[in-house]
Amino acid sequence: MAFRTDNYIACSFAFLWGALSSARTRIRVFSWSLVAAFILAVGCTVEDGDHIEFLHVSYDPTREFYQDFNALFTHHWQESHGQRVTVLQSHGGSGKQARSVMEGLEAHVVSLALAYDIDVIAERRGLLPSDWQSRLPDNSAPYTSTIVFLVRAGNPKNIRDWDDLTRSDVQVITPNPKTSGGARWNYLAAWGYALHRELNGFGRRSDSTSAADAEEAAYEFVKRIFLNVPVLDSGARASTTTFAQRGMGDVLITWENEAFLALDKLARFDLEMVVPSVSILAEPPVAWIDAVTTRRNTMSLARAYLAHLYTPEAQRLIARHHFRPRYPEYADAEDLRQFAEITLFTIDAVFGSWREAQTSHFGDDGFFDRIYLENMREERP
């Protein structure tokens, strides 16, 4: 087994640094944690004829799915190519993950919460082409999800829909839209619901006067929700921890798949899911990073890895992990029954595109910045 020669010195230094650490367990563990982070940062890809490693950088609530998918794919690759593959995983808020890749984290593939985060990697660093989304089916989104609520057992605050999140007696948990892709989906789902309510659907958006009034009402609606948010965590998983394990808040706004996972894994905290009447169709995309995979000679592997997400066995696994598969005919009927019927709108239909939504809502001095600053000046009576 050999490291690439262009990383040999850096990796050797990292190895010696860990080896020379103190004999005390606490210090040794700390040192090796730093070594692991250092190795990921410099991209110490293991490459020989029989074994290869590559890094997959993803957003917060995909850990469990990709652990199972990686086992599925690596078995397939070894059977078909006779080569052993190890997939390293990195997870965090989507915006933070995108910035890490732009700052040098050598991801071979990324799966982020929204297309804009990958667009930024393409535009600001040129690490992949601007038309990356056309390289895989369904705009490079092999599954979808939506936004729902988690509440305490028995739903003591009787939370049924988005309107209830504006009440003064309800405390809302959601991550920070500046760092979390899931939080941006949460925010836009609430905004879209308010527009739908004000316009009795989305058909009257062509009426400029009605649309302007509805947008103003949506701004005030989302502002009232965020007035009820006591803490903004950096990612969706952190907000789940805040709500379930720390016991903060009356309702958590979250990914549908994350809500199902919490019901499965955090049953001792007695939670219930509430599905709102209207929500957003979330389409988290995937891409290989051309600059890294070309340099590391892992392009064919990275492309095959992402293409495998569209296979029948992967689509079944997607549904089993509570994501909505692009090809439901491949999923087990029992897994499909978990998904509630809900009115879903798309980002393009309501906001034009992710680029437009990012600029107007989450860019510097955008609507979210205004909401945050105005709420800081207000005190809930």
Side-chain angles (χ1 to χ4, degrees), residues 143-380:
Y143 59 82
T144 66
S145 190
T146 190
I147 302 303
V148 300
F149 311 147
L150 277 179
V151 298
R152 308 294 173 191
N155 196 1
K157 292 295 180 74
N158 195 30
I159 293 166
R160 301 299 176 188
D161 215 335
W162 292 99
D163 298 284
D164 296 310
L165 276 56
T166 67
R167 289 168 18 205
S168 61
D169 66 325
V170 171
Q171 195 175 65
V172 179
I173 301 298
T174 186
N176 188 344
K178 289 290 192 176
T179 57
S180 166
R184 278 172 274 178
W185 287 113
N186 295 354
Y187 170 107
L188 294 177
W191 193 287
Y193 167 81
L195 290 179
H196 188 274
R197 185 191 62 183
E198 293 297 316
L199 298 170
N200 294 314
F202 295 116
R204 293 173 57 211
R205 295 188 73 241
S206 57
D207 180 341
S208 59
T209 301
S210 297
D213 291 343
E215 291 285 351
E216 183 60 32
Y219 178 89
E220 293 299 325
F221 183 82
V222 174
K223 178 183 171 183
R224 290 198 301 275
I225 290 177
F226 275 88
L227 188 61
N228 292 335
V229 177
V231 59
L232 290 170
D233 291 305
S234 63
R237 184 57 55 87
S239 284
T240 301
T241 299
T242 294
F243 181 72
Q245 299 184 23
R246 295 176 58 196
M248 290 184 64
D250 301 300
V251 57
L252 171 69
I253 313 175
T254 190
W255 295 96
E256 181 181 51
N257 60 283
E258 182 76 352
F260 277 119
L261 184 66
L263 295 179
D264 289 345
K265 304 297 184 182
L266 303 175
R268 68 187 184 279
F269 294 106
D270 292 328
L271 306 175
E272 294 180 10
M273 185 191 303
V274 173
V275 179
S277 60
V278 174
S279 196
I280 196 166
L281 178 68
E283 301 175 285
V286 300
W288 63 86
I289 303 298
D290 297 61
V292 175
T293 56
T294 298
R295 186 167 62 252
R296 302 295 183 199
N297 195 29
T298 56
M299 176 77 78
S300 61
L301 173 62
R303 292 175 67 173
Y305 176 80
L306 295 181
H308 203 72
L309 287 163
Y310 295 86
T311 63
E313 57 183 355
Q315 290 286 299
R316 277 195 299 276
L317 188 64
I318 282 168
R320 198 169 304 146
H321 280 270
H322 315 300
F323 297 95
R324 298 186 178 218
R326 282 293 192 181
Y327 303 97
E329 62 269 25
Y330 297 142
D332 293 337
E334 182 178 352
D335 291 327
L336 294 177
R337 281 194 289 270
Q338 68 187 311
F339 302 120
E341 291 291 331
I342 180 173
T343 298
L344 296 174
F345 61 87
T346 66
I347 190 86
D348 290 349
V350 176
F351 300 97
S353 67
W354 255 115
R355 183 181 304 279
E356 293 174 70
Q358 176 67 31
T359 300
S360 59
H361 289 272
F362 310 116
D364 291 341
D365 300 319
F367 290 138
F368 176 72
D369 282 356
R370 288 170 49 192
I371 285 170
Y372 184 79
L373 291 174
E374 289 177 18
N375 281 344
M376 284 185 65
R377 291 192 288 265
E378 291 188 30
E379 289 186 7
R380 176 67 75 187

Side-chain angles (χ1 to χ4, degrees), residues 17 21 29 34 40 83 105 128 135 168 177 182 209-210 219 256 275 362:
W17 179 29
S21 64
V29 169
L34 291 175
L40 286 178
Q83 187 179 46
L105 183 62
L128 70 166
R135 302 191 298 188
S168 61
T209 301
S210 297
Y219 178 89
E256 181 181 51
V275 179
F362 310 116

Side-chain angles (χ1 to χ4, degrees), residues 3-52:
F3 289 111
R4 283 181 57 92
T5 55
D6 58 348
N7 280 335
Y8 179 78
I9 294 175
C11 293
S12 298
F13 174 76
F15 178 82
L16 289 172
W17 179 29
L20 293 173
S21 64
S22 167
R24 291 185 180 180
T25 301
R26 186 181 310 169
I27 298 177
R28 184 164 60 247
V29 169
F30 175 72
S31 298
W32 278 111
S33 297
L34 291 175
V35 171
F38 186 84
I39 286 174
L40 286 178
V42 299
C44 295
T45 305
V46 177
E47 295 178 5
D48 63 21
D50 299 320
H51 181 215
I52 190 166

